[in-house]
């Protein structure tokens, strides 16, 4: 089954890439700022997140400067935005593309893969900004060579979540509402702006059973 899925993805890789790039171009078509929103959206999201934790809750990490804290938050927030967009949209992705499924223009497996690809491409500029902030914060590290592997493994995890949610979403309309609430809750239950050690010991299990934490 896995072999068949991989064969379909490889066979239609050009279609997946071209349609993903086309969707990215159409996403902000007609807006005044156009593709600049790719930078504005995560920046605003980060600013709001930092305001809540730095100003309202006054969270501080021992031994961390404010800039290092920003790097920490940004490095958690950017991957989370990928997961949130892909998983949330996956609840309705098959129904939205039912015309493709019924007409058998492309195999149904291509649709979730395209969704994950678009979600990754949408956050690519933010990822490079995050990388620059991290290097300025702590300096270059040999661990950067492992970054492509980490991204690949994360993409596989996201694809698995998308396949699961999209299959449920094709059957139940309620899934989109449930997933939206769940992803909002997981944003605050993931160690994006705090460390697991900052929680009371009897509550730290909440972090470790949350797969997004990793």
């Amino acid at each position: 089954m896995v072999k068949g899925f991989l064969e379909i993805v490889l066979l239609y890789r050009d279609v997946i890439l071209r349609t993903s790039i086309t969707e990215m171009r159409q996403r902000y078509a007609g807006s005044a700022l156009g593709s600049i929103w790719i930078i504005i959206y995560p920046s605003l999201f980060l600013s709001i997140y930092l305001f809540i934790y730095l100003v309202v809750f006054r969270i501080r990490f021992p031994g961390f400067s404010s800039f290092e804290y920003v790097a920490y938050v940004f490095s958690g927030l950017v991957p989370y935005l990928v997961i949130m967009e892909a998983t949330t949209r996956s609840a309705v992705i098959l129904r939205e593309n039912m015309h493709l499924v019924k007409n058998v223009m492309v195999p149904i497996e291509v649709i979730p893969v395209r969704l994950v690809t678009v979600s990754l491409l949408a956050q690519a500029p933010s990822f490079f900004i995050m990388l620059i902030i991290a290097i300025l914060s702590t300096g270059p590290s040999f661990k950067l060579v492992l970054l492509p592997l980490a991204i690949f493994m994360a993409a596989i995890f996201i694809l698995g979540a998308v396949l699961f949610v999209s299959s449920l979403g094709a059957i139940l309309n309620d899934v989109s509402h449930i997933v939206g609430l769940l992803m909002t809750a997981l944003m605050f239950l993931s160690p994006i702006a705090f460390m697991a050690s900052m929680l009371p010991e009897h509550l730290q299990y909440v972090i470790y059973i949350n797969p997004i934490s990793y």
Side-chain angles (χ1 to χ4, degrees):
M1 184 177 179
V2 174
K3 181 181 178 181
F5 181 82
L6 291 176
E7 288 176 347
I8 291 173
V9 172
L10 290 174
L11 182 62
Y12 287 88
R13 61 186 182 276
D14 291 337
V15 174
I16 293 171
L17 184 58
R18 286 200 303 268
T19 54
S20 299
I21 293 174
T22 300
E23 183 173 338
M24 284 298 303
R25 289 172 177 171
Q26 293 175 344
R27 174 173 294 194
Y28 303 108
S31 62
L33 298 178
S35 57
I36 299 178
W37 277 108
I38 297 178
I39 302 296
I40 295 176
Y41 179 78
S43 298
L44 289 176
F45 207 100
L46 174 67
S47 300
I48 295 170
Y49 212 83
L50 289 174
F51 176 79
I52 293 173
Y53 283 93
L54 271 176
V55 180
V56 179
F57 294 144
R58 300 181 182 277
I59 299 294
R60 296 292 187 276
F61 288 178
F64 273 59
S65 66
S66 296
F67 188 76
E68 289 170 338
Y69 181 75
V70 170
Y72 180 90
V73 174
F74 209 95
S75 64
L77 195 58
V78 171
Y80 184 81
L81 290 176
V82 177
I83 297 171
M84 182 173 67
E85 177 180 352
T87 309
T88 303
R89 288 192 59 203
S90 67
V92 296
I93 193 67
L94 292 183
R95 292 202 304 272
E96 288 180 350
N97 292 273
M98 194 57 66
H99 61 287
L100 297 177
V101 176
K102 290 182 177 179
N103 294 331
V104 199
M105 295 176 64
V106 294
I108 193 172
E109 293 87 350
V110 169
I111 298 173
V113 176
R114 188 189 67 180
L115 173 58
V116 175
T117 303
V118 170
S119 300
L120 288 169
L121 289 175
Q123 296 304 324
S126 301
F127 174 80
F128 285 111
I129 294 174
M130 175 199 76
L131 195 59
I132 292 171
I133 291 176
I135 291 174
L136 292 176
S137 174
T138 60
S141 170
F142 71 91
K143 295 178 182 179
L144 287 175
V145 299
L146 298 175
L147 200 54
L149 177 62
I151 294 173
F152 176 75
M153 294 176 67
I156 295 299
F157 167 77
I158 297 169
L159 178 59
V162 166
L163 289 170
F164 177 73
V165 174
S166 62
S167 62
L168 291 179
I171 303 171
L172 300 172
N173 293 336
D174 297 340
V175 171
S176 60
H177 304 294
I178 296 172
V179 170
L181 290 172
L182 179 63
M183 294 309 297
T184 301
L186 288 179
M187 180 173 64
F188 295 102
L189 293 176
S190 301
I192 297 174
F194 60 89
M195 294 181 176
S197 58
M198 298 173 68
L199 291 176
E201 189 171 343
H202 67 283
L203 292 178
Q204 290 183 11
Y205 76 93
V206 175
I207 300 299
Y208 298 121
I209 63 174
N210 174 10
I212 297 179
S213 297
Y214 300 95

